[in-house]
Amino acid sequence: MEAKFPALSITERDRRWKITREMMKLEGVECLIVPGLKGREALEGYLSNDYAEGLVVFPLAGEPVHLTWTGTRVTRRHESALRGVPIWVEDMRVGCDGPTLVKVLKEKGVAKGRIGVVGLEIRAPGEREGFMPYTLWAYVLAELPQAAFLELSEAFVGMMVVKSEEELTIMRHSARIGEAACLKMLEMAAPGLSELDLYAAIVNVIFKAGASPPPPHLILHSGLENLCWGPPMWIYQGGAPRILQKGDMVLAEIFPRYGGMESQQEMAVHLKPAHDLLLELGEAARRCYETGISVIRAGKTF
């Protein structure tokens, strides 16, 4: 039986560090820069098991350094350690900027070496041209003219995709949280209910399970012919949330993130009276899903 709040171990840290260094050797780099910063995927957490909106400098040999933007991230980590949570990266410093990054790279002896970088051209949703700040990166390039930088976003993310048993435990837990949120949506959606009340109930399920959806937290829209996507408009624009009506389609995209692992659930609830065309489309989608499940196996080509 899995724990109510499963967590990753130091053994998992060592596995991740090992395969990261194997990837670095394959790519021929002496050091790797892995930023989370304001990027949606918070990739630094893969090596640090922390959310610090900073970046990790990960040398091929020696200890990594975790840079963050504020001292409160450091003191928070100390409090976590006092509660018995193991620290993955011992060396954490304040200074998530060009000068500090250059200082650490020189300290690690790679100022004239080959350095891998994640986040310059990651091409993730909403980040098609990366998320590394121009000012930070321009400073690094100017101060380290003899270094050779290699963009390794694809190699790094590809490495992350293959999950260990510990990671699968976390991912399944995240998925169960999402399923519980879907069930809450199915139970509550009804004519006369405010979109706000439905939104709050779904997010409440996620938060009470110890997870936290990344921005935009929850995608939710209603109406029979509503082509919107993204978070509800009233969150940003103000105004009264819509009241669900008979015959509505209530659509949501739910993405709980637990232990650094995000699962996603697509949810559609059709309020009576049912529209014949929507029922037909739903049946077709279900047949496609079941067909896909019947053939998807390891070794199959796309």
Side-chain angles (χ1 to χ4, degrees):
M1 180 68 68
E2 293 178 3
K4 182 177 181 181
F5 298 103
L8 298 174
S9 70
I10 286 293
T11 300
E12 174 60 23
R13 179 201 69 176
D14 294 343
R15 185 197 73 85
R16 290 184 181 184
W17 288 15
K18 179 176 181 292
I19 64 172
T20 299
R21 288 190 165 116
E22 289 172 352
M23 181 272 290
M24 292 167 65
K25 290 177 183 177
L26 187 64
E27 299 291 344
V29 297
E30 304 167 56
C31 189
L32 186 65
I33 302 171
V34 183
L37 302 171
K38 304 300 181 181
R40 185 188 182 282
E41 303 304 322
L43 292 173
E44 68 185 298
Y46 185 76
L47 298 175
S48 67
N49 199 32
D50 199 356
Y51 176 68
E53 295 178 309
L55 54 85
V56 171
V57 179
F58 194 81
L60 190 58
E63 294 299 310
V65 176
H66 195 177
L67 301 179
T68 185
W69 65 279
T70 173
T72 58
R73 300 288 182 169
V74 181
T75 55
R76 181 188 66 166
R77 191 180 67 154
H78 290 325
E79 177 61 28
S80 188
L82 288 172
R83 299 178 185 183
V85 178
I87 293 176
W88 283 24
V89 179
E90 292 288 344
D91 189 350
M92 190 178 203
R93 311 179 192 179
V94 176
C96 194
D97 49 56
T100 308
L101 177 55
V102 167
K103 178 183 176 181
V104 173
L105 292 172
K106 289 180 177 179
E107 179 184 306
K108 296 299 179 181
V110 296
K112 299 180 181 180
R114 284 172 56 86
I115 302 172
V117 189
V118 174
L120 289 179
E121 300 176 7
I122 193 161
R123 308 205 195 298
E127 297 168 349
R128 297 290 295 171
E129 296 181 332
F131 56 85
M132 185 77 83
Y134 170 81
T135 304
L136 185 157
W137 195 240
Y139 185 92
V140 172
L141 294 178
E143 292 297 314
L144 300 179
Q146 294 180 286
F149 293 99
L150 184 64
E151 220 291 331
L152 292 181
S153 294
E154 185 174 351
F156 186 81
V157 173
M159 175 191 71
M160 290 175 59
V161 166
V162 182
K163 303 301 184 190
S164 69
E165 284 304 315
E166 284 196 36
E167 289 175 321
L168 288 174
T169 295
I170 299 294
M171 180 59 78
R172 292 184 181 113
H173 188 75
S174 175
R176 280 194 293 270
I177 295 170
E179 289 295 320
C182 287
L183 181 59
K184 176 60 69 173
M185 176 177 171
L186 181 61
E187 291 172 345
M188 286 191 63
L193 183 71
S194 167
E195 281 185 348
L196 173 58
D197 290 335
L198 186 59
Y199 184 101
I202 295 170
V203 173
N204 184 57
V205 170
I206 296 172
F207 282 133
K208 288 193 71 174
S212 177
H217 298 126
L218 175 66
I219 292 171
L220 178 72
H221 292 285
S222 66
L224 185 57
E225 298 179 343
N226 188 339
L227 298 180
C228 293
W229 207 235
M233 295 175 289
W234 41 262
I235 286 181
Y236 297 95
Q237 298 174 346
R242 185 176 180 276
I243 302 300
L244 305 188
Q245 306 292 322
K246 291 181 179 180
D248 273 358
M249 282 294 293
V250 189
L251 304 174
E253 185 172 354
I254 302 168
F255 17 77
R257 181 177 291 179
Y258 179 92
M261 297 286 179
E262 179 185 328
S263 64
Q264 293 199 358
Q265 296 77 33
E266 307 291 334
M267 192 64 176
V269 179
H270 187 16
L271 304 184
K272 295 179 180 180
H275 192 288
D276 290 342
L277 178 58
L278 290 177
L279 291 176
E280 182 181 347
L281 291 172
E283 291 170 1
R286 184 70 194 186
R287 290 197 301 272
C288 291
Y289 170 78
E290 291 173 350
T291 300
I293 290 296
S294 72
V295 298
I296 187 169
R297 297 288 185 277
K300 294 282 187 179
T301 65
F302 184 76

